[in-house]
Amino acid sequence: MPCASTRSPYRPLLVAVLVAPLGWCAWFAWVGYRAGDWRGYFQVQEKWGSAFDGGRFTFHRIADIFLQRSLTLNTVVVAATIISAVVLFVLCVQQRQHPALLIYAGVLLLIAVGGEGYSTPKHGSCCRPFRCSSR
C-alpha cells in the first residue's frame, strides 16, 4: 500500500484541470440540444451580439474614450475595468503566481478582451434567445 507522502502533489491540480471544463462542455451541449443544432451555443451568442473578434471591438471601444467628447459612464467604467484587468494580469505573471490561477485568469481575460460585444448590455437578455422545441 503506497504511503500518503509518495502521492504526487500535482494530482489534485491534474484532476481539477480535467474536471473544470466539463461544466462548460455540458452547458454547450445543453444549449445545442435546446437549439436543435450542435452550434446552438454560438448561434445564441450571435443573437446576443457577442462573437470573438480578437479584441478589435474592445480596442475601438477603449480608443473611443480618448477620441470622443461625449462618453457614457458605462463606456468609461468598462474601459477602466478592462485596462485594470490587463495590468493586474501582467503583474500576476511577473510575480509568478500559481500556474492554475494564471491559466484561469488568462482565459477569462482572453474571453473578455477578445470578445465583440462582451462588455455591452444585453437588452432583452432575460428573454429566450432561441425557440425551445417541445422535446
Side-chain angles (χ1 to χ4, degrees):
M1 183 160 180
C3 180
S5 63
T6 61
R7 287 179 59 182
S8 170
Y10 296 106
R11 186 173 180 189
L13 177 62
L14 180 62
V15 170
V17 167
L18 294 175
V19 171
L22 293 180
W24 184 83
C25 291
W27 173 251
F28 182 88
W30 182 81
V31 173
Y33 171 77
R34 294 296 301 248
D37 185 357
W38 72 271
R39 296 169 301 189
Y41 175 82
F42 300 110
Q43 293 168 348
V44 169
Q45 293 301 314
E46 259 182 45
K47 288 180 183 179
W48 281 343
S50 297
F52 190 81
D53 69 349
R56 186 178 324 135
F57 175 84
T58 305
F59 175 77
H60 289 297
R61 188 81 168 201
I62 291 173
D64 284 347
I65 289 178
F66 301 104
L67 302 174
Q68 290 183 354
R69 297 243 186 248
S70 62
L71 296 172
T72 64
L73 180 61
N74 180 49
T75 304
V76 175
V77 169
V78 167
T81 303
I82 290 172
I83 292 168
S84 299
V86 170
V87 169
L88 290 173
F89 182 73
V90 169
L91 288 174
C92 285
V93 170
Q94 288 177 342
Q95 293 176 353
R96 299 180 189 268
Q97 296 288 338
H98 195 277
L101 173 67
L102 293 176
I103 292 168
Y104 179 75
V107 168
L108 288 180
L109 190 60
L110 179 66
I111 291 169
V113 173
E116 174 185 359
Y118 181 82
S119 60
T120 57
K122 308 294 188 254
H123 300 290
S125 63
C126 62
C127 303
R128 294 183 182 199
F130 52 85
R131 192 178 344 197
C132 294
S133 59
S134 57
R135 294 183 194 189

